[in-house]
Amino acid sequence: MSSVLYDHIKQFIPTAQIPYEDIDTCFDRLGLAKKETLIEAGEKCDKAYFVEKGCLHAYFIDDNGVEKTVQFAIEKWWITDFLAFRYQNKTDFYIQAVEVSEVLYITRNKLEELFARHPEMEGYFRQVYEIGYGAAIMRIKYIFNYSKEEIFFHFANQFPEFVNRVPQYLLATYLGLTPEYLSKLRGRKFS
Amino acid sequence: MSSVLYDHIKQFIPTAQIPYEDIDTCFDRLGLAKKETLIEAGEKCDKAYFVEKGCLHAYFIDDNGVEKTVQFAIEKWWITDFLAFRYQNKTDFYIQAVEVSEVLYITRNKLEELFARHPEMEGYFRQVYEIGYGAAIMRIKYIFNYSKEEIFFHFANQFPEFVNRVPQYLLATYLGLTPEYLSKLRGRKFS
């Protein structure tokens, strides 16, 4: 573990006194090449991933064979199929590196052990999930409310670094656009 | 508080020994008439609601003046604008009773006090949010993957009691359908 995760934990639960080593020992690190896949649809999902560096996305392949991104994660974000991870079920999603990345991962069993040994960690994940849950509902609102063009401009205003960083075809599926249409919008925004 | 919430808490954190009164004192109860509104868009959202009986929904009014439901909550579900509740911000949503309902609510301040006094409660909310977050991402997958018809049949198979219970026009906005189209689909399913 580097200090990125430890600092993130301290930011959310500043009064907890958990030794660095007690957390470190629960995690493993993986370096990922661009497009390297962590888990594929149909596999049992028993790990959650914390992005130390880089960018990952979770996608599924729709009935027409098109990849559709449902989550992005950049530095200090968690990514997994949270339901499958909870129940250690098979996942419907692929999780893949968008760029060269470094992740820490924890298995469900080790997470449960960590909760048992350091119950303060419940407070960290309660907050991570609280924000993720609230943001996911807000995203459903955007999908329902805005035209495809408005979704893009809203997203571009909120997360400008994302728009410059993530390959266009991935961003397009995340926003429910075709790459061609997104390209037209980007031209308009950044010209 | 009735025992509905207490039993729900014990189900998620069975080893915790929190006296009933310590939880009860943090909550207030509200009886709601059908269509009674708990909070309106533009108001500060500092409460989370646990449905003891009945059914609530959270919706926003889109740019065309149409109500669009982003969450439903039946018995033993929590409902609020989770991001606004965390930060005690103004909400974009209305929360309203779909039918005669009884809810328990807790303010953000009382929730933080409860966490301070009984840190085991972090584990309860960590799990409530974990499931909610995972389910919200799964819902985004459905919205992206399925035709409107498929979304309805999937939803009807997973939550048959919902389809029979919730007024058609609400279910329609939740699924992104027009009430007329939904009516056609329901006829097909239940005939």
Side-chain angles (χ1 to χ4, degrees), chain A residues 170-183:
Chain A
L170 289 183
L171 191 59
T173 72
Y174 184 74
L175 299 175
L177 311 174
T178 65
E180 295 73 24
Y181 185 67
L182 181 63
S183 170

Side-chain angles (χ1 to χ4, degrees), chain A:
Chain A
M1 193 172 75
S2 75
S3 64
V4 180
L5 175 58
Y6 195 64
D7 290 347
H8 196 244
I9 292 168
K10 282 196 295 189
Q11 180 191 327
F12 280 91
I13 48 170
T15 60
Q17 304 279 343
I18 308 174
Y20 180 89
E21 296 67 31
D22 284 20
I23 296 175
D24 184 47
T25 187
C26 297
F27 284 85
D28 285 294
R29 165 179 275 117
L30 266 179
L32 297 168
K34 187 174 171 172
K35 295 221 168 192
E36 195 170 337
T37 298
L38 279 171
I39 184 167
E40 300 201 350
E43 291 178 0
K44 184 177 147 184
C45 176
D46 71 343
K47 297 182 187 75
Y49 306 92
F50 176 83
V51 182
E52 277 198 329
K53 214 179 141 197
C55 179
L56 275 70
H57 71 134
Y59 64 91
F60 67 97
I61 298 179
D62 78 5
D63 296 343
N64 299 317
V66 178
E67 287 183 13
K68 292 199 171 159
T69 294
V70 294
Q71 289 180 75
F72 277 111
I74 53 173
E75 287 85 5
K76 300 189 205 171
W77 289 29
W78 285 87
I79 191 166
T80 188
D81 175 343
F82 292 96
L83 274 190
F85 175 60
R86 174 173 172 83
Y87 299 112
Q88 301 192 53
N89 285 339
K90 290 180 181 175
T91 180
D92 293 340
F93 299 108
Y94 297 74
I95 300 178
Q96 193 188 57
V98 172
E99 53 189 60
V100 174
S101 300
E102 288 194 23
V103 300
L104 295 170
Y105 67 85
I106 187 165
T107 63
R108 187 77 206 182
N109 287 343
K110 284 202 179 159
L111 181 63
E112 298 293 349
E113 283 170 30
L114 183 57
F115 286 147
R117 213 165 45 241
H118 294 289
E120 308 97 303
M121 285 298 291
E122 293 274 14
Y124 170 69
F125 280 96
R126 187 263 300 166
Q127 295 181 75
V128 165
Y129 291 153
E130 186 173 44
I131 295 168
Y133 185 21
I137 292 171
M138 207 52 84
R139 197 168 150 219
I140 292 171
K141 174 175 181 279
Y142 292 134
I143 296 172
F144 276 1
N145 195 28
Y146 295 124
S147 69
K148 291 176 186 307
E149 180 168 333
E150 285 170 330
I151 287 178
F152 170 73
F153 285 114
H154 182 91
F155 189 83
N157 280 330
Q158 279 214 309
F159 307 105
E161 68 161 322
F162 238 76
V163 173
N164 294 318
R165 183 169 169 179
V166 168
Q168 192 148 317
Y169 73 97
L170 289 183
L171 191 59
T173 72
Y174 184 74
L175 299 175
L177 311 174
T178 65
E180 295 73 24
Y181 185 67
L182 181 63
S183 170
K184 225 171 68 185
L185 293 178
R186 277 172 80 125
R188 209 181 306 165
K189 175 155 180 80
F190 297 108
S191 63

Side-chain angles (χ1 to χ4, degrees), chain B residues 2-173:
Chain B
S2 75
S3 64
V4 180
L5 175 57
Y6 195 65
D7 290 348
H8 196 243
I9 293 169
K10 282 196 295 189
Q11 181 190 328
F12 280 90
I13 48 170
T15 59
Q17 304 279 341
I18 308 175
Y20 179 89
E21 296 68 30
D22 285 20
I23 296 176
D24 183 47
T25 188
C26 297
F27 285 86
D28 286 295
R29 163 179 277 116
L30 266 179
L32 298 169
K34 187 173 170 173
K35 294 221 169 192
E36 196 171 335
T37 299
L38 280 171
I39 184 167
E40 300 200 351
E43 291 178 358
K44 184 177 147 184
C45 177
D46 70 343
K47 298 183 186 73
Y49 305 92
F50 176 83
V51 182
E52 277 198 329
K53 214 178 140 197
C55 178
L56 275 70
H57 72 132
Y59 65 90
F60 67 97
I61 297 179
D62 77 5
D63 296 343
N64 299 317
V66 179
E67 286 184 13
K68 291 197 171 159
T69 294
V70 293
Q71 290 180 74
F72 277 112
I74 53 173
E75 288 85 5
K76 300 188 205 172
W77 290 29
W78 285 87
I79 191 166
T80 188
D81 175 344
F82 292 97
L83 274 191
F85 175 61
R86 174 173 172 82
Y87 299 112
Q88 302 192 53
N89 284 340
K90 290 181 181 175
T91 179
D92 294 339
F93 299 109
Y94 297 75
I95 299 179
Q96 193 187 58
V98 172
E99 53 187 62
V100 174
S101 300
E102 289 194 22
V103 300
L104 295 170
Y105 67 85
I106 188 166
T107 63
R108 188 76 206 183
N109 287 343
K110 283 200 180 161
L111 181 63
E112 298 292 349
E113 283 169 32
L114 183 58
F115 286 148
R117 213 163 46 241
H118 293 291
E120 309 96 304
M121 286 298 291
E122 293 275 14
Y124 171 69
F125 280 96
R126 187 263 300 166
Q127 294 180 77
V128 165
Y129 291 154
E130 185 174 45
I131 294 168
Y133 185 22
I137 292 170
M138 208 51 84
R139 197 169 150 220
I140 292 171
K141 173 176 183 277
Y142 291 135
I143 295 172
F144 276 1
N145 194 27
Y146 295 123
S147 70
K148 290 175 187 306
E149 179 167 332
E150 286 170 328
I151 287 177
F152 171 73
F153 285 115
H154 182 90
F155 189 84
N157 281 329
Q158 278 213 312
F159 307 104
E161 67 161 322
F162 239 77
V163 173
N164 294 317
R165 182 169 170 180
V166 169
Q168 192 148 316
Y169 73 97
L170 290 183
L171 192 59
T173 71

